[in-house]
Structures are given as structure tokens and as C-alpha cells.
Amino acid sequence: MLQGILIKKVLDLVLKQIFKQFDLNKINKYVEEDNELDIQMKQLQKTVSKQGKTLESNEKEIAILKKQFNKIKKEK
């Protein structure tokens, strides 16, 4: 347990020094934080999901209307 915490602290310090020495903070920021394309992709995923639900709902309504239409057609 103590060894794990110690190793984690040492690695954090080593990585911090490497980032500082090689100016990798911008790369790290780009990798870890959402950028414009990530935000757009999330929005597109939401839109596609909503459209899929709407399509499914419309298909159900069409099936119900067809059933009602056939029932009315048989009555005539």
C-alpha cells in the first residue's frame, strides 16, 4: 500500500519534470481536455440519437395508422 503511494508520487514528480523540460503541457492539454471537434462530435451523437428515437416513433405511428386504415377499408 505504502509502496504504491510512493511510486505514484515519484512518477507524478517525474512526469511533471518531463512535461516542464520538453514543454509538453500543450500536448497534454490537447489530449486530456475536450477540443472543438470533441464537442461537435458529442453534439452529433446527441442529434443522431434523437433522430433515431424520432424515426422509431414515426415507424410505430405508421404501423398503427396502416392497421387502422386496413380496418376501415375492410368495413366498407
Side-chain angles (χ1 to χ4, degrees):
M1 178 80 177
L2 184 59
Q3 289 175 341
I5 294 171
L6 183 61
I7 290 172
K8 184 176 182 343
K9 292 290 183 183
V10 169
L11 282 177
D12 286 343
L13 290 173
V14 169
L15 285 175
K16 188 175 181 180
Q17 194 63 26
I18 289 172
F19 277 104
K20 186 184 285 184
Q21 186 175 358
F22 294 106
D23 196 27
L24 298 175
N25 289 328
K26 289 181 183 178
I27 294 172
N28 192 35
K29 181 180 176 185
Y30 177 79
V31 170
E32 291 183 0
E33 294 180 11
D34 287 347
N35 58 27
E36 184 178 333
L37 294 177
D38 292 331
I39 294 168
Q40 288 177 358
M41 192 64 179
K42 286 179 184 178
Q43 185 62 39
L44 286 172
Q45 288 173 342
K46 288 179 186 177
T47 302
V48 168
S49 177
K50 286 180 183 178
Q51 289 175 344
K53 289 177 184 177
T54 302
L55 182 62
E56 188 176 310
S57 173
N58 289 344
E59 288 174 347
K60 288 178 184 177
E61 288 182 30
I62 289 171
I64 291 169
L65 291 173
K66 280 184 180 179
K67 190 174 182 181
Q68 290 174 348
F69 178 75
N70 289 336
K71 185 177 179 181
I72 292 172
K73 191 176 176 182
K74 286 181 182 179
E75 289 177 358
K76 288 185 177 183

